Amino acid sequence: IEHGQVLGNPDVVALFSGGLDSLCSVIEQYRSFGRRPLLISHAPAFHVNPRQSELRTILSERFGKQWHFPRVSASINRKKSDAPETTHRTRSFLYGAVGAIAAHALRLTEVQLADNGVVSLNLPINEQVIGAMATRSTHPKFLRLFNRLLQAVFPDGPLVLNPLRTRTRAETLEVLKESGCADLIEETNSC
């Protein structure tokens, strides 16, 4: 049995943080485009995994007649060292790499790393987020460079795309409203 058959033959990898944007993207991919997303999660802290798992269960209960929303969770953490890392700048690289490896193993061509466009551009909302501490998770330059690396490693492999790159948070949340899932907002964990 191939790996994809065990998972139900997904057709896209969706990086699933348990936040609003990733939830909206997964629901939209399923409801609007008829896709079968494999949810890939990263649980950097003990309290994150249960929330991601609960959201997956809710998705499966609401929409599971045709798709069961399989989820794979990776718990990858940095080894303690004398040089503590206080930023989250490498998170998207790690997350994207895990998703790309899963997509490559399943022969899928797309990994979705969803953030609304305002978040993607990393517009500074105050002086504290200017500089090295801010993440660049879905910034267009990061995605372009990351995909160039992926093409060098997996020439016919997957690309990491941001399906929400042109939307505001309000436009993204319309997906929940239109799908009858506005009540799931309180179940998410967004930064």
Side-chain angles (χ1 to χ4, degrees), residues 56-67:
R56 192 226 63 89
T57 299
I58 293 168
L59 287 172
S60 185
E61 289 170 354
R62 289 197 185 181
F63 305 115
K65 290 183 178 162
Q66 288 79 31
W67 187 241

Side-chain angles (χ1 to χ4, degrees), residues 38-170:
L38 167 62
L39 310 181
I40 300 288
S41 298
H42 172 243
F46 71 90
H47 67 281
V48 176
N49 192 44
R51 186 171 297 259
Q52 294 166 343
S53 184
E54 177 63 23
L55 275 170
R56 192 226 63 89
T57 299
I58 293 168
L59 287 172
S60 185
E61 289 170 354
R62 289 197 185 181
F63 305 115
K65 290 183 178 162
Q66 288 79 31
W67 187 241
H68 62 286
F69 298 91
R71 179 175 161 265
V72 176
S73 181
S75 181
I76 303 170
N77 293 293
R78 187 172 176 267
K79 183 179 177 181
K80 293 190 186 236
S81 76
D82 293 335
E85 173 62 47
T86 58
T87 73
H88 293 277
R89 295 201 64 184
T90 58
R91 179 177 179 260
S92 46
F93 184 89
L94 169 69
Y95 212 12
V98 170
I101 290 166
H104 179 72
L106 296 170
R107 296 182 188 97
L108 301 177
T109 60
E110 188 176 330
V111 176
Q112 295 187 346
L113 179 56
D115 267 335
N116 68 76
V118 175
V119 170
S120 293
L121 294 177
N122 301 109
L123 300 173
I125 55 175
N126 63 40
E127 277 186 36
Q128 292 177 336
V129 296
I130 296 173
M133 300 301 276
T135 183
R136 306 289 188 260
S137 60
T138 54
H139 192 280
K141 182 177 180 180
F142 168 77
L143 289 178
R144 185 176 62 253
L145 292 173
F146 189 77
N147 282 323
R148 192 179 327 165
L149 174 63
L150 283 181
Q151 290 301 290
V153 176
F154 305 123
D156 295 323
L159 293 175
V160 176
L161 306 172
N162 179 3
L164 304 178
R165 70 189 174 283
T166 62
R167 299 188 205 166
T168 64
R169 173 58 61 91

Side-chain angles (χ1 to χ4, degrees), residues 16-27 55 114-116 164 169 172-173 175-176 181-191:
F16 189 68
S17 67
L20 277 171
D21 289 344
S22 68
L23 176 66
C24 290
S25 178
V26 165
I27 290 173
L55 275 170
D115 267 335
N116 68 76
L164 304 178
R169 173 58 61 91
T172 299
L173 291 176
V175 171
L176 294 181
C181 295
D183 61 307
L184 296 183
I185 290 173
E186 65 188 46
E187 302 296 330
T188 64
N189 186 32
S190 292
C191 23

